[in-house]
Amino acid sequence: MSLLAERVTARFERHRRLRRTPALRRLIRETRVDPASLILPVFVDARVERPEPIASLAGHARWPASRVEEIAERAMRAGIGGLLLFGLPTAKDDRGTAAADPDGPVPRALRAIRGADLALVADVCLCEYTTHGHCGVLDADGGVDNDATLPLLAGAAAAYARAGADVVAPSDMMDGRVAAIRASLDEDRRGDVAILSYAAKYASAFYGPFRDAAECAPAFGDRSGYQMDPPNRREALAEIATDIAEGTDLVMVKPAGPYLDVIAAARERFDVPIAAYQVSGEYAALQAAAARGWLDLERAARESLVAIARAGAGPIVTYFALDAARWFRER
Ligand code: PBG
């Protein structure tokens, strides 16, 4: 080596030393995705007798409550942390009454799997149950009436708690719903049922495939009057602070991948668990690209989940949960 080359090589850092072997890379890995922190979304459909595949969500189906046990078993075998249940009722009305029906799809499914070694989370929202597809009831001008919606959400949450939900997860973005739900649970002597609020839920284009799956696209207008405006980060922190003050136990940022900065900021500021929801469009986009051979599904999906964990999310809701549990078992 020339004298010059020797002097140069002595002077720079050799970051590559610790990337040399798989063992070294595992040793210094800063972020791990623990299968136990993954939550699988499950659609329970009161109108079907067998699992009906969802075209926009490869590998997912709408399940009859009578067979949700099969999913719970798969989830336990995979070692994932929990299930997040969504319901599709037999009939809808303009007030979303079926959301609180004790014999609706979600309560039935919960009764079938209560006691399983999984965190059972029930999504609380009216949009799957209303004819107009909005997340709350409408006022005379066709706007969503915040305060008139609160008792309906509280009623739905109570029905899921009675059926065996460990956690109820309001995703409607009405103001005051955490307080309303907490009060209703406590009054019903369900003080031990937790609330996971979708505190920072953005009006996102990435919910497209879900709205197909859950048949809950708004019949007119959009959700920007209640879901958050994508450019806003500080507002997310204000939403989270409010929900914590109202008594939420965990908070969620949604979508996940396009909002990693929000997850990181929330993690920095608050001490409650910060969950993140890798939504249907994030999943479907990777699936579609992989189906065309444009990217490697496992590697891309793993990278997307690691990024969400690295940003600071604890529980992660993802349609990849079952596969990811296998991928992240390292050896
Ligand atoms: C219902 C709800 C939605 C999602 C979860 N709960 C749809 C929406 O707000 O339009 C989206 C989940 C996903 O896209 O995977 N309020």
Side-chain angles (χ1 to χ4, degrees):
M1 223 187 272
S2 74
L3 202 57
L4 180 62
E6 229 168 87
R7 236 184 268 146
V8 169
T9 56
R11 251 196 348 246
F12 58 74
E13 291 284 342
R14 294 216 170 255
H15 293 291
R16 289 181 52 189
R17 274 183 203 122
L18 297 179
R19 295 175 198 149
R20 199 168 51 79
T21 67
L24 287 169
R25 292 196 292 274
R26 277 197 301 275
L27 189 72
I28 64 157
R29 195 153 288 158
E30 296 176 34
T31 306
R32 288 195 156 76
V33 176
D34 182 354
S37 67
L38 300 177
I39 298 175
L40 177 72
V42 176
F43 299 93
V44 189
D45 191 335
R47 304 158 310 173
V48 304
E49 260 146 44
R50 61 187 65 81
E52 299 285 346
I54 299 167
S56 56
L57 290 173
H60 288 266
R62 290 178 284 108
W63 287 79
S66 59
R67 291 186 53 182
V68 165
E69 254 172 299
E70 294 170 36
I71 290 280
E73 259 157 46
R74 261 183 239 175
M76 283 190 285
R77 242 181 288 124
I80 68 168
L83 304 179
L84 171 60
L85 303 182
F86 294 95
L88 289 88
T90 43
K92 308 191 187 206
D93 61 26
D94 62 346
R95 295 176 56 77
T97 320
D101 179 0
D103 282 317
V106 169
R108 273 179 195 274
L110 285 165
R111 285 195 294 272
I113 58 177
R114 69 189 304 168
D117 189 18
L118 292 165
L120 300 180
V121 188
D123 186 89
V124 176
C125 193
L126 298 189
C127 66
E128 298 104 301
Y129 302 92
T130 51
T131 38
H132 46 73
H134 278 289
C135 302
V137 291
L138 303 182
D139 58 25
D141 312 317
V144 171
D145 186 336
N146 190 91
D147 297 11
T149 300
L150 299 180
L152 300 172
L153 295 168
Y160 308 153
R162 285 182 207 132
D166 301 302
V167 183
V168 291
S171 65
D172 52 282
M173 287 300 278
M174 298 303 121
D175 290 318
R177 88 264 215 223
V178 172
I181 289 172
R182 188 70 270 161
S184 129
L185 293 174
D186 291 351
E187 213 168 284
D188 204 31
R189 301 195 179 205
R190 309 275 165 189
D192 54 351
V193 172
I195 299 176
L196 187 179
S197 67
Y198 291 64
K201 176 173 175 178
Y202 287 86
S204 171
F206 286 91
Y207 306 150
F210 174 95
R211 291 181 188 173
D212 253 12
E215 295 169 16
C216 69
F220 61 89
D222 58 30
R223 305 210 202 286
S224 342
Y226 38 106
Q227 298 181 349
M228 283 183 56
D229 201 18
N232 297 352
R233 185 166 61 114
R234 286 192 301 273
E235 188 185 349
L237 301 177
E239 280 278 6
I240 293 170
T242 298
D243 283 5
I244 292 173
E246 290 182 24
T248 198
D249 301 283
L250 316 87
V251 296
M252 185 133 77
V253 175
K254 173 188 177 186
Y259 297 88
L260 295 180
D261 60 318
V262 177
I263 297 172
R267 176 66 298 154
E268 191 68 19
R269 172 123 17 135
F270 302 104
D271 292 326
V272 299
I274 311 291
Y277 196 144
Q278 182 182 52
V279 300
S280 57
E282 298 178 76
Y283 174 83
L286 294 184
Q287 289 282 0
R292 285 163 177 72
W294 293 342
L295 49 75
D296 178 304
L297 184 65
E298 176 180 335
R299 289 188 54 214
R302 288 178 63 142
E303 189 175 332
S304 70
L305 290 166
V306 164
I308 295 164
R310 194 185 60 230
I316 302 175
V317 181
T318 172
Y319 298 90
F320 288 115
L322 293 179
D323 287 332
R326 184 162 38 81
W327 296 335
F328 285 112
R329 267 184 245 117
E330 293 200 5
R331 279 209 274 186

